[in-house]
mmCIF file of all heavy atoms in Angstrom:
data_model
loop_
_atom_site.group_PDB
_atom_site.id
_atom_site.type_symbol
_atom_site.label_atom_id
_atom_site.label_comp_id
_atom_site.label_asym_id
_atom_site.label_seq_id
_atom_site.Cartn_x
_atom_site.Cartn_y
_atom_site.Cartn_z
ATOM 1 N N GLU A 92 79.868 94.984 92.135
ATOM 2 C CA GLU A 92 80.078 94.777 93.569
ATOM 3 C C GLU A 92 81.434 94.137 93.842
ATOM 4 O O GLU A 92 82.096 94.454 94.841
ATOM 5 C CB GLU A 92 78.948 93.906 94.126
ATOM 6 C CG GLU A 92 78.949 93.794 95.657
ATOM 7 C CD GLU A 92 79.882 92.705 96.164
ATOM 8 O OE1 GLU A 92 80.096 91.714 95.439
ATOM 9 O OE2 GLU A 92 80.407 92.859 97.282
ATOM 10 N N LEU A 93 81.867 93.244 92.941
ATOM 11 C CA LEU A 93 83.155 92.584 93.144
ATOM 12 C C LEU A 93 84.315 93.550 92.938
ATOM 13 O O LEU A 93 85.379 93.399 93.554
ATOM 14 C CB LEU A 93 83.281 91.373 92.211
ATOM 15 C CG LEU A 93 82.271 90.247 92.441
ATOM 16 C CD1 LEU A 93 82.585 89.057 91.541
ATOM 17 C CD2 LEU A 93 82.244 89.811 93.909
ATOM 18 N N PHE A 94 84.127 94.550 92.079
ATOM 19 C CA PHE A 94 85.145 95.591 91.946
ATOM 20 C C PHE A 94 85.173 96.468 93.192
ATOM 21 O O PHE A 94 86.241 96.826 93.703
ATOM 22 C CB PHE A 94 84.879 96.447 90.702
ATOM 23 C CG PHE A 94 85.314 95.799 89.410
ATOM 24 C CD1 PHE A 94 84.412 95.098 88.629
ATOM 25 C CD2 PHE A 94 86.629 95.888 88.977
ATOM 26 C CE1 PHE A 94 84.798 94.499 87.450
ATOM 27 C CE2 PHE A 94 87.031 95.289 87.793
ATOM 28 C CZ PHE A 94 86.111 94.595 87.026
ATOM 29 N N MET A 95 83.995 96.812 93.701
ATOM 30 C CA MET A 95 83.928 97.683 94.875
ATOM 31 C C MET A 95 84.544 97.021 96.111
ATOM 32 O O MET A 95 85.127 97.709 96.961
ATOM 33 C CB MET A 95 82.473 98.067 95.161
ATOM 34 C CG MET A 95 81.862 99.001 94.133
ATOM 35 S SD MET A 95 82.701 100.610 94.070
ATOM 36 C CE MET A 95 82.336 101.250 95.704
ATOM 37 N N SER A 96 84.429 95.707 96.217
ATOM 38 C CA SER A 96 84.942 95.004 97.396
ATOM 39 C C SER A 96 86.385 94.547 97.232
ATOM 40 O O SER A 96 86.958 93.974 98.168
ATOM 41 C CB SER A 96 84.057 93.792 97.722
ATOM 42 O OG SER A 96 84.045 92.882 96.638
ATOM 43 N N GLY A 97 86.979 94.787 96.062
ATOM 44 C CA GLY A 97 88.382 94.461 95.864
ATOM 45 C C GLY A 97 88.648 93.052 95.386
ATOM 46 O O GLY A 97 89.814 92.654 95.261
ATOM 47 N N VAL A 98 87.602 92.265 95.113
ATOM 48 C CA VAL A 98 87.830 90.943 94.521
ATOM 49 C C VAL A 98 88.446 91.106 93.133
ATOM 50 O O VAL A 98 89.435 90.451 92.788
ATOM 51 C CB VAL A 98 86.516 90.138 94.432
ATOM 52 C CG1 VAL A 98 86.749 88.825 93.684
ATOM 53 C CG2 VAL A 98 85.957 89.874 95.816
ATOM 54 N N LEU A 99 87.864 91.989 92.345
ATOM 55 C CA LEU A 99 88.353 92.266 90.998
ATOM 56 C C LEU A 99 88.998 93.649 90.965
ATOM 57 O O LEU A 99 88.495 94.588 91.583
ATOM 58 C CB LEU A 99 87.206 92.215 89.979
ATOM 59 C CG LEU A 99 86.340 90.958 89.953
ATOM 60 C CD1 LEU A 99 85.272 91.074 88.872
ATOM 61 C CD2 LEU A 99 87.186 89.709 89.740
ATOM 62 N N THR A 100 90.099 93.751 90.250
ATOM 63 C CA THR A 100 90.755 95.039 90.038
ATOM 64 C C THR A 100 91.208 95.117 88.580
ATOM 65 O O THR A 100 91.174 94.120 87.846
ATOM 66 C CB THR A 100 91.975 95.229 90.959
ATOM 67 O OG1 THR A 100 92.932 94.187 90.701
ATOM 68 C CG2 THR A 100 91.579 95.178 92.429
ATOM 69 N N VAL A 101 91.625 96.300 88.176
ATOM 70 C CA VAL A 101 92.114 96.512 86.813
ATOM 71 C C VAL A 101 93.597 96.863 86.892
ATOM 72 O O VAL A 101 94.003 97.759 87.644
ATOM 73 C CB VAL A 101 91.335 97.649 86.116
ATOM 74 C CG1 VAL A 101 91.873 97.884 84.707
ATOM 75 C CG2 VAL A 101 89.847 97.315 86.076
ATOM 76 N N ASN A 102 94.425 96.140 86.108
ATOM 77 C CA ASN A 102 95.862 96.386 86.171
ATOM 78 C C ASN A 102 96.271 97.494 85.195
ATOM 79 O O ASN A 102 95.427 98.124 84.553
ATOM 80 C CB ASN A 102 96.642 95.093 85.903
ATOM 81 C CG ASN A 102 96.479 94.569 84.484
ATOM 82 O OD1 ASN A 102 95.872 95.225 83.621
ATOM 83 N ND2 ASN A 102 97.019 93.393 84.222
ATOM 84 N N ASP A 103 97.566 97.721 85.087
ATOM 85 C CA ASP A 103 98.075 98.811 84.247
ATOM 86 C C ASP A 103 97.777 98.606 82.769
ATOM 87 O O ASP A 103 97.780 99.561 81.987
ATOM 88 C CB ASP A 103 99.585 98.965 84.441
ATOM 89 C CG ASP A 103 99.934 99.456 85.846
ATOM 90 O OD1 ASP A 103 99.044 100.045 86.492
ATOM 91 O OD2 ASP A 103 101.077 99.236 86.285
ATOM 92 N N ASP A 104 97.531 97.344 82.368
ATOM 93 C CA ASP A 104 97.194 97.044 80.973
ATOM 94 C C ASP A 104 95.694 97.056 80.725
ATOM 95 O O ASP A 104 95.229 96.595 79.680
ATOM 96 C CB ASP A 104 97.762 95.671 80.577
ATOM 97 C CG ASP A 104 99.278 95.635 80.663
ATOM 98 O OD1 ASP A 104 99.903 96.674 80.357
ATOM 99 O OD2 ASP A 104 99.827 94.591 81.044
ATOM 100 N N ASN A 105 94.936 97.532 81.730
ATOM 101 C CA ASN A 105 93.477 97.598 81.637
ATOM 102 C C ASN A 105 92.845 96.215 81.540
ATOM 103 O O ASN A 105 91.766 96.058 80.971
ATOM 104 C CB ASN A 105 93.034 98.471 80.446
ATOM 105 C CG ASN A 105 91.671 99.096 80.693
ATOM 106 O OD1 ASN A 105 91.337 99.466 81.822
ATOM 107 N ND2 ASN A 105 90.879 99.216 79.634
ATOM 108 N N ARG A 106 93.520 95.220 82.135
ATOM 109 C CA ARG A 106 92.973 93.868 82.197
ATOM 110 C C ARG A 106 92.349 93.650 83.567
ATOM 111 O O ARG A 106 92.842 94.158 84.588
ATOM 112 C CB ARG A 106 94.079 92.822 81.981
ATOM 113 C CG ARG A 106 94.754 92.882 80.607
ATOM 114 C CD ARG A 106 93.855 92.295 79.523
ATOM 115 N NE ARG A 106 93.468 90.928 79.798
ATOM 116 C CZ ARG A 106 94.211 89.860 79.467
ATOM 117 N NH1 ARG A 106 95.383 90.034 78.863
ATOM 118 N NH2 ARG A 106 93.787 88.642 79.716
ATOM 119 N N VAL A 107 91.264 92.888 83.608
ATOM 120 C CA VAL A 107 90.633 92.546 84.882
ATOM 121 C C VAL A 107 91.420 91.405 85.523
ATOM 122 O O VAL A 107 91.626 90.349 84.903
ATOM 123 C CB VAL A 107 89.168 92.131 84.680
ATOM 124 C CG1 VAL A 107 88.548 91.691 86.017
ATOM 125 C CG2 VAL A 107 88.368 93.291 84.091
ATOM 126 N N VAL A 108 91.865 91.627 86.759
ATOM 127 C CA VAL A 108 92.692 90.638 87.431
ATOM 128 C C VAL A 108 92.195 90.431 88.860
ATOM 129 O O VAL A 108 91.489 91.269 89.428
ATOM 130 C CB VAL A 108 94.180 91.059 87.459
ATOM 131 C CG1 VAL A 108 94.735 91.196 86.043
ATOM 132 C CG2 VAL A 108 94.361 92.352 88.240
ATOM 133 N N VAL A 109 92.596 89.284 89.415
ATOM 134 C CA VAL A 109 92.367 88.975 90.826
ATOM 135 C C VAL A 109 93.725 88.706 91.451
ATOM 136 O O VAL A 109 94.468 87.846 90.980
ATOM 137 C CB VAL A 109 91.469 87.733 91.007
ATOM 138 C CG1 VAL A 109 91.173 87.505 92.484
ATOM 139 C CG2 VAL A 109 90.183 87.873 90.214
ATOM 140 N N TYR A 110 94.057 89.449 92.497
ATOM 141 C CA TYR A 110 95.304 89.230 93.217
ATOM 142 C C TYR A 110 95.038 88.312 94.408
ATOM 143 O O TYR A 110 94.117 88.553 95.198
ATOM 144 C CB TYR A 110 95.894 90.552 93.693
ATOM 145 C CG TYR A 110 96.345 91.451 92.565
ATOM 146 C CD1 TYR A 110 95.579 92.546 92.181
ATOM 147 C CD2 TYR A 110 97.517 91.176 91.865
ATOM 148 C CE1 TYR A 110 95.978 93.367 91.136
ATOM 149 C CE2 TYR A 110 97.933 91.991 90.812
ATOM 150 C CZ TYR A 110 97.156 93.086 90.455
ATOM 151 O OH TYR A 110 97.559 93.881 89.408
ATOM 152 N N ALA A 111 95.858 87.282 94.536
ATOM 153 C CA ALA A 111 95.634 86.293 95.593
ATOM 154 C C ALA A 111 95.578 86.935 96.971
ATOM 155 O O ALA A 111 94.710 86.610 97.783
ATOM 156 C CB ALA A 111 96.727 85.226 95.549
ATOM 157 N N GLU A 112 96.495 87.857 97.262
ATOM 158 C CA GLU A 112 96.554 88.418 98.608
ATOM 159 C C GLU A 112 95.326 89.254 98.944
ATOM 160 O O GLU A 112 94.966 89.409 100.113
ATOM 161 C CB GLU A 112 97.820 89.239 98.804
ATOM 162 C CG GLU A 112 97.927 90.463 97.941
ATOM 163 C CD GLU A 112 99.265 91.156 98.131
ATOM 164 O OE1 GLU A 112 99.535 91.652 99.253
ATOM 165 O OE2 GLU A 112 100.052 91.204 97.167
ATOM 166 N N MET A 113 94.630 89.795 97.935
ATOM 167 C CA MET A 113 93.386 90.519 98.176
ATOM 168 C C MET A 113 92.204 89.558 98.238
ATOM 169 O O MET A 113 91.308 89.711 99.078
ATOM 170 C CB MET A 113 93.175 91.569 97.087
ATOM 171 C CG MET A 113 94.228 92.663 97.073
ATOM 172 S SD MET A 113 94.018 93.837 95.713
ATOM 173 C CE MET A 113 92.517 94.692 96.225
ATOM 174 N N PHE A 114 92.218 88.554 97.378
ATOM 175 C CA PHE A 114 91.113 87.601 97.332
ATOM 176 C C PHE A 114 90.970 86.848 98.658
ATOM 177 O O PHE A 114 89.863 86.664 99.174
ATOM 178 C CB PHE A 114 91.331 86.610 96.188
ATOM 179 C CG PHE A 114 90.218 85.606 96.039
ATOM 180 C CD1 PHE A 114 89.003 85.978 95.482
ATOM 181 C CD2 PHE A 114 90.383 84.297 96.462
ATOM 182 C CE1 PHE A 114 87.963 85.053 95.351
ATOM 183 C CE2 PHE A 114 89.352 83.372 96.324
ATOM 184 C CZ PHE A 114 88.150 83.756 95.765
ATOM 185 N N TRP A 115 92.111 86.427 99.233
ATOM 186 C CA TRP A 115 92.055 85.628 100.455
ATOM 187 C C TRP A 115 91.721 86.452 101.689
ATOM 188 O O TRP A 115 91.616 85.920 102.800
ATOM 189 C CB TRP A 115 93.353 84.843 100.636
ATOM 190 C CG TRP A 115 93.395 83.659 99.718
ATOM 191 C CD1 TRP A 115 93.769 83.640 98.406
ATOM 192 C CD2 TRP A 115 93.014 82.318 100.035
ATOM 193 N NE1 TRP A 115 93.644 82.376 97.891
ATOM 194 C CE2 TRP A 115 93.194 81.531 98.869
ATOM 195 C CE3 TRP A 115 92.555 81.689 101.189
ATOM 196 C CZ2 TRP A 115 92.916 80.177 98.827
ATOM 197 C CZ3 TRP A 115 92.292 80.332 101.153
ATOM 198 C CH2 TRP A 115 92.464 79.597 99.983
ATOM 199 N N GLN A 116 91.516 87.751 101.523
ATOM 200 C CA GLN A 116 91.024 88.585 102.613
ATOM 201 C C GLN A 116 89.515 88.810 102.524
ATOM 202 O O GLN A 116 88.955 89.598 103.293
ATOM 203 C CB GLN A 116 91.758 89.932 102.625
ATOM 204 C CG GLN A 116 93.239 89.805 102.975
ATOM 205 C CD GLN A 116 93.946 91.138 103.059
ATOM 206 O OE1 GLN A 116 93.671 91.946 103.941
ATOM 207 N NE2 GLN A 116 94.867 91.366 102.130
ATOM 208 N N GLN A 117 88.848 88.116 101.606
ATOM 209 C CA GLN A 117 87.404 88.241 101.447
ATOM 210 C C GLN A 117 86.695 87.337 102.456
ATOM 211 O O GLN A 117 86.583 86.122 102.262
ATOM 212 C CB GLN A 117 87.001 87.871 100.016
ATOM 213 C CG GLN A 117 87.585 88.782 98.956
ATOM 214 C CD GLN A 117 86.961 90.172 98.990
ATOM 215 O OE1 GLN A 117 85.776 90.331 99.277
ATOM 216 N NE2 GLN A 117 87.771 91.174 98.681
ATOM 217 N N ALA A 118 86.220 87.926 103.529
ATOM 218 C CA ALA A 118 85.639 87.135 104.618
ATOM 219 C C ALA A 118 84.451 86.301 104.167
ATOM 220 O O ALA A 118 84.195 85.224 104.705
ATOM 221 C CB ALA A 118 85.230 88.058 105.769
ATOM 222 N N ARG A 119 83.721 86.775 103.159
ATOM 223 C CA ARG A 119 82.480 86.099 102.750
ATOM 224 C C ARG A 119 82.702 84.648 102.317
ATOM 225 O O ARG A 119 81.770 83.842 102.350
ATOM 226 C CB ARG A 119 81.849 86.871 101.587
ATOM 227 C CG ARG A 119 82.561 86.678 100.256
ATOM 228 C CD ARG A 119 81.965 87.470 99.137
ATOM 229 N NE ARG A 119 82.504 88.821 99.109
ATOM 230 C CZ ARG A 119 82.082 89.752 98.256
ATOM 231 N NH1 ARG A 119 81.127 89.481 97.403
ATOM 232 N NH2 ARG A 119 82.620 90.941 98.267
ATOM 233 N N LEU A 120 83.897 84.306 101.923
ATOM 234 C CA LEU A 120 84.142 82.989 101.350
ATOM 235 C C LEU A 120 84.414 81.911 102.386
ATOM 236 O O LEU A 120 84.127 80.748 102.159
ATOM 237 C CB LEU A 120 85.313 83.058 100.366
ATOM 238 C CG LEU A 120 85.065 83.962 99.161
ATOM 239 C CD1 LEU A 120 86.347 84.190 98.389
ATOM 240 C CD2 LEU A 120 84.006 83.352 98.256
ATOM 241 N N TRP A 121 84.994 82.289 103.507
ATOM 242 C CA TRP A 121 85.395 81.294 104.510
ATOM 243 C C TRP A 121 84.840 81.601 105.895
ATOM 244 O O TRP A 121 84.559 80.686 106.642
ATOM 245 C CB TRP A 121 86.924 81.215 104.581
ATOM 246 C CG TRP A 121 87.536 80.871 103.263
ATOM 247 C CD1 TRP A 121 87.663 79.623 102.698
ATOM 248 C CD2 TRP A 121 88.085 81.787 102.299
ATOM 249 N NE1 TRP A 121 88.262 79.715 101.473
ATOM 250 C CE2 TRP A 121 88.537 81.020 101.194
ATOM 251 C CE3 TRP A 121 88.256 83.168 102.274
ATOM 252 C CZ2 TRP A 121 89.134 81.595 100.080
ATOM 253 C CZ3 TRP A 121 88.847 83.760 101.165
ATOM 254 C CH2 TRP A 121 89.284 82.981 100.082
ATOM 255 N N HIS A 122 84.728 82.864 106.223
ATOM 256 C CA HIS A 122 84.227 83.262 107.529
ATOM 257 C C HIS A 122 82.712 83.228 107.494
ATOM 258 O O HIS A 122 82.092 83.865 106.643
ATOM 259 C CB HIS A 122 84.723 84.673 107.858
ATOM 260 C CG HIS A 122 84.520 85.074 109.289
ATOM 261 N ND1 HIS A 122 83.272 85.193 109.866
ATOM 262 C CD2 HIS A 122 85.410 85.390 110.263
ATOM 263 C CE1 HIS A 122 83.412 85.562 111.124
ATOM 264 N NE2 HIS A 122 84.692 85.686 111.391
ATOM 265 N N GLN A 123 82.107 82.512 108.416
ATOM 266 C CA GLN A 123 80.679 82.260 108.310
ATOM 267 C C GLN A 123 79.797 83.444 108.697
ATOM 268 O O GLN A 123 78.583 83.397 108.529
ATOM 269 C CB GLN A 123 80.312 81.028 109.153
ATOM 270 C CG GLN A 123 80.998 79.765 108.656
ATOM 271 C CD GLN A 123 80.740 79.508 107.173
ATOM 272 O OE1 GLN A 123 79.615 79.250 106.768
ATOM 273 N NE2 GLN A 123 81.775 79.581 106.345
ATOM 274 N N ARG A 124 80.412 84.526 109.202
ATOM 275 C CA ARG A 124 79.617 85.738 109.386
ATOM 276 C C ARG A 124 79.238 86.316 108.034
ATOM 277 O O ARG A 124 78.224 86.976 107.877
ATOM 278 C CB ARG A 124 80.393 86.765 110.213
ATOM 279 C CG ARG A 124 79.545 87.977 110.636
ATOM 280 C CD ARG A 124 80.335 88.909 111.552
ATOM 281 N NE ARG A 124 81.526 89.421 110.912
ATOM 282 C CZ ARG A 124 82.753 89.290 111.404
ATOM 283 N NH1 ARG A 124 82.940 88.625 112.527
ATOM 284 N NH2 ARG A 124 83.789 89.797 110.775
ATOM 285 N N GLY A 125 80.125 86.121 107.035
ATOM 286 C CA GLY A 125 79.785 86.423 105.646
ATOM 287 C C GLY A 125 79.841 87.869 105.243
ATOM 288 O O GLY A 125 79.398 88.230 104.166
ATOM 289 N N ASN A 126 80.394 88.763 106.084
ATOM 290 C CA ASN A 126 80.526 90.144 105.656
ATOM 291 C C ASN A 126 81.747 90.771 106.323
ATOM 292 O O ASN A 126 82.399 90.153 107.153
ATOM 293 C CB ASN A 126 79.270 90.960 105.990
ATOM 294 C CG ASN A 126 78.978 90.993 107.483
ATOM 295 O OD1 ASN A 126 79.796 91.425 108.276
ATOM 296 N ND2 ASN A 126 77.788 90.524 107.863
ATOM 297 N N ASP A 127 82.074 91.979 105.940
ATOM 298 C CA ASP A 127 83.266 92.641 106.448
ATOM 299 C C ASP A 127 82.930 93.753 107.443
ATOM 300 O O ASP A 127 83.734 94.649 107.685
ATOM 301 C CB ASP A 127 84.077 93.222 105.286
ATOM 302 C CG ASP A 127 84.576 92.126 104.354
ATOM 303 O OD1 ASP A 127 85.148 91.156 104.866
ATOM 304 O OD2 ASP A 127 84.402 92.252 103.133
ATOM 305 N N THR A 128 81.732 93.725 108.011
ATOM 306 C CA THR A 128 81.335 94.741 108.974
ATOM 307 C C THR A 128 82.205 94.640 110.223
ATOM 308 O O THR A 128 82.420 93.551 110.758
ATOM 309 C CB THR A 128 79.858 94.568 109.365
ATOM 310 O OG1 THR A 128 79.054 94.655 108.203
ATOM 311 C CG2 THR A 128 79.438 95.641 110.356
ATOM 312 N N VAL A 129 82.712 95.779 110.681
ATOM 313 C CA VAL A 129 83.531 95.777 111.891
ATOM 314 C C VAL A 129 82.719 96.315 113.059
ATOM 315 O O VAL A 129 81.849 97.162 112.895
ATOM 316 C CB VAL A 129 84.816 96.606 111.697
ATOM 317 C CG1 VAL A 129 85.703 95.974 110.642
ATOM 318 C CG2 VAL A 129 84.505 98.051 111.342
ATOM 319 N N PHE A 130 83.011 95.782 114.218
ATOM 320 C CA PHE A 130 82.317 96.190 115.431
ATOM 321 C C PHE A 130 82.834 97.570 115.841
ATOM 322 O O PHE A 130 84.043 97.795 115.893
ATOM 323 C CB PHE A 130 82.592 95.167 116.534
ATOM 324 C CG PHE A 130 81.655 95.241 117.698
ATOM 325 C CD1 PHE A 130 80.348 94.814 117.581
ATOM 326 C CD2 PHE A 130 82.091 95.723 118.935
ATOM 327 C CE1 PHE A 130 79.483 94.848 118.668
ATOM 328 C CE2 PHE A 130 81.241 95.771 120.016
ATOM 329 C CZ PHE A 130 79.931 95.337 119.884
ATOM 330 N N PRO A 131 81.959 98.523 116.140
ATOM 331 C CA PRO A 131 82.421 99.881 116.483
ATOM 332 C C PRO A 131 83.323 99.890 117.714
ATOM 333 O O PRO A 131 83.216 99.032 118.595
ATOM 334 C CB PRO A 131 81.115 100.643 116.749
ATOM 335 C CG PRO A 131 80.052 99.844 116.060
ATOM 336 C CD PRO A 131 80.491 98.421 116.126
ATOM 337 N N VAL A 132 84.200 100.895 117.766
ATOM 338 C CA VAL A 132 85.144 100.993 118.880
ATOM 339 C C VAL A 132 84.535 101.804 120.028
ATOM 340 O O VAL A 132 84.058 102.927 119.840
ATOM 341 C CB VAL A 132 86.460 101.652 118.420
ATOM 342 C CG1 VAL A 132 87.388 101.868 119.621
ATOM 343 C CG2 VAL A 132 87.149 100.781 117.381
ATOM 344 N N ARG A 133 84.533 101.196 121.185
ATOM 345 C CA ARG A 133 84.182 101.885 122.443
ATOM 346 C C ARG A 133 85.107 101.315 123.508
ATOM 347 O O ARG A 133 85.136 100.088 123.725
ATOM 348 C CB ARG A 133 82.726 101.631 122.833
ATOM 349 C CG ARG A 133 82.359 102.152 124.221
ATOM 350 C CD ARG A 133 80.893 101.885 124.551
ATOM 351 N NE ARG A 133 80.575 102.307 125.911
ATOM 352 C CZ ARG A 133 80.600 101.490 126.978
ATOM 353 N NH1 ARG A 133 80.921 100.210 126.827
ATOM 354 N NH2 ARG A 133 80.306 101.962 128.175
ATOM 355 N N TYR A 134 85.880 102.162 124.160
ATOM 356 C CA TYR A 134 86.865 101.677 125.126
ATOM 357 C C TYR A 134 86.234 101.441 126.488
ATOM 358 O O TYR A 134 85.418 102.243 126.972
ATOM 359 C CB TYR A 134 88.038 102.649 125.232
ATOM 360 C CG TYR A 134 88.960 102.553 124.046
ATOM 361 C CD1 TYR A 134 88.807 103.412 122.959
ATOM 362 C CD2 TYR A 134 89.952 101.565 123.991
ATOM 363 C CE1 TYR A 134 89.638 103.310 121.852
ATOM 364 C CE2 TYR A 134 90.781 101.455 122.885
ATOM 365 C CZ TYR A 134 90.621 102.330 121.820
ATOM 366 O OH TYR A 134 91.428 102.210 120.721
ATOM 367 N N ILE A 135 86.609 100.309 127.084
ATOM 368 C CA ILE A 135 86.139 99.938 128.410
ATOM 369 C C ILE A 135 87.343 99.437 129.221
ATOM 370 O O ILE A 135 88.447 99.279 128.683
ATOM 371 C CB ILE A 135 85.047 98.852 128.363
ATOM 372 C CG1 ILE A 135 85.583 97.572 127.701
ATOM 373 C CG2 ILE A 135 83.812 99.366 127.615
ATOM 374 C CD1 ILE A 135 84.604 96.406 127.747
#
């Protein structure tokens, strides 16, 4: 699940890495809604 959500990735050397700029976009850690679901677009 952490690979699917972009917390963990694999670099060119086939090592498991975490990039800071991707990690700090993980809403579950700081945003209390706890998920990345977006509200659907409907124009008003």
Side-chain angles (χ1 to χ4, degrees):
E92 189 275 331
L93 297 185
F94 281 96
M95 290 297 295
S96 61
V98 174
L99 307 181
T100 60
V101 179
N102 66 7
D103 293 339
D104 298 325
N105 207 36
R106 297 285 303 274
V107 176
V108 299
V109 184
Y110 294 103
E112 64 184 295
M113 296 176 70
F114 182 75
W115 284 83
Q116 293 183 67
Q117 297 290 325
R119 75 182 85 184
L120 297 169
W121 302 279
H122 192 297
Q123 297 306 294
R124 189 175 60 236
N126 60 58
D127 297 310
T128 302
V129 295
F130 196 72
V132 175
R133 172 179 176 266
Y134 285 95
I135 60 174

